[in-house]
Amino acid sequence: MSEGILLAKVARGTLLPEAERVARLQAALPQIEAALEGEADEVAIQATLACLLWETLPQVNWCGFYRRVAERMLAVGPYQGGMGCLRISFERGVCGACARTETTQLVPDVHAFPGHIACDDATRSELVIPIHVQGSLLGVLDLDCPHPEGFSSAEARILEDLMARTFGRIPAR
Ligand code: SME
């Protein structure tokens, strides 16, 4: 049976220095890839990533997926953390901006982001990464942090690559 991620325990909400966060993510990657090896079911991948990224990233207060369910609408998928908004249109919030532009949104201060949706008032920074399957948008990975500047561009690049690798093998819809 799986044991989750073998990393030092760090208290939830701790923002480690950037170099330590990147090192922790790098250490977790092979374990995450091993856990998902051969899995091509979308929900199984999302649920497992939500769990393992929650363990890997102690700075997050919310970690999970919004799935594209209509032309310009996202609905919440598997996640860890407090209750998230159920639906987000492409016109709203950081997740909507990510889905609309199909580009990563690294937001160091959500208070400075017009239209940010405050599911949790504690959230101060956010990283949202688009997920593509065979070139079409499947949804987004949403990470929230109660500290400003909770994510770096190095973390964003690593997570973009992880999303491309893990969702790259699921069948086109
Ligand atoms: N803050 C996000 C909404 C999703 S939740 O925080 C879980 C946004 O502005 O898109």
Side-chain angles (χ1 to χ4, degrees):
M1 241 353 271
S2 163
E3 312 79 18
I5 295 276
L6 299 173
L7 291 173
K9 290 277 176 221
V10 176
R12 178 65 40 204
T14 305
L15 182 63
L16 296 168
E18 203 256 349
E20 282 179 47
R21 301 202 308 269
V22 170
R24 194 176 164 87
L25 198 44
Q26 297 282 19
L29 281 182
Q31 303 182 56
I32 294 174
E33 307 251 15
L36 293 174
E37 195 184 343
E39 184 55 66
D41 179 83
E42 187 182 319
V43 176
I45 294 171
Q46 290 176 352
T48 304
L49 281 173
C51 171
L52 298 183
L53 289 175
W54 176 261
E55 289 186 37
T56 302
L57 304 167
Q59 78 266 41
V60 302
N61 60 352
W62 202 93
C63 163
F65 294 88
Y66 279 93
R67 302 162 300 115
R68 182 183 208 165
V69 292
E71 186 57 30
R72 294 179 72 78
M73 181 62 71
L74 300 167
V76 75
Y79 65 92
Q80 300 275 309
M83 184 175 152
C85 313
L86 271 70
R87 288 189 176 244
I88 299 177
S89 81
F90 278 32
E91 283 67 43
R92 294 182 62 225
V94 185
C95 292
C98 176
R100 191 168 67 242
T101 62
E102 301 195 18
T103 58
T104 293
Q105 304 291 307
L106 177 57
V107 180
D109 177 3
V110 295
H111 294 165
F113 189 96
H116 168 254
I117 304 163
C119 288
D120 181 343
D121 285 345
T123 295
R124 290 299 313 278
S125 58
E126 189 158 345
L127 173 60
V128 187
I129 293 175
I131 298 166
H132 295 97
V133 171
Q134 319 292 338
S136 92
L137 187 81
L138 177 82
V140 304
L141 168 68
D142 181 21
L143 302 171
D144 292 356
C145 175
H147 303 272
E149 299 183 31
F151 308 99
S152 69
S153 54
E155 289 169 290
R157 297 294 91 81
I158 293 168
L159 291 165
E160 283 172 345
D161 288 349
L162 179 64
M163 293 306 113
R165 281 199 302 279
T166 50
F167 288 97
R169 60 177 171 251
I170 77 173
R173 297 196 289 183

